[in-house]
Amino acid sequence: TEAALFDYSGMTLRAVGGNIESALAHKDKVNQLAMDLNKAVAEQQYNMGGKEWQRLFKELLPGVLRNGEIPPLSKEAIDRILARR
């Protein structure tokens, strides 16, 4: 939806901060992260809604921007991230 796309774009811009070079260098990986999270939700492997998706994206995006790598999105890894407060 448009609202979800706006949230995704806004979160990406906030995470980028002043590091636009890194965002441009890893833009394909940022998009891949979003698609991978969407796939996890679509496969219903996890009981996840929009808030959980956003939280995962916010947690994982800085690492993607830093080194261009998407960590494995296993059930255990996702559960570990969502368990943090």
Side-chain angles (χ1 to χ4, degrees):
T1 68
E2 286 182 31
L5 181 59
F6 178 76
D7 285 347
Y8 162 70
S9 299
M11 281 188 289
T12 304
L13 289 173
R14 283 189 294 278
V16 167
N19 195 357
I20 194 71
E21 293 86 13
S22 180
L24 291 173
H26 300 300
K27 67 181 177 182
D28 291 339
K29 292 293 185 174
V30 171
N31 288 330
Q32 186 64 49
L33 173 62
M35 291 187 329
D36 289 354
L37 289 173
N38 286 341
K39 184 178 177 184
V41 171
E43 290 175 349
Q44 298 180 358
Q45 293 178 349
Y46 313 101
N47 187 14
M48 242 183 346
K51 287 182 181 179
E52 291 82 11
W53 188 99
Q54 288 180 351
R55 190 155 166 229
L56 289 165
F57 189 77
K58 286 178 187 178
E59 279 281 326
L60 297 170
L61 183 60
V64 172
L65 292 174
R66 193 171 35 256
N67 60 29
E69 295 181 17
I70 299 171
L73 296 177
S74 66
K75 180 177 181 352
E76 295 79 18
I78 288 174
D79 289 345
R80 191 170 43 253
I81 292 168
L82 293 177
R84 292 182 207 153
R85 286 283 168 201

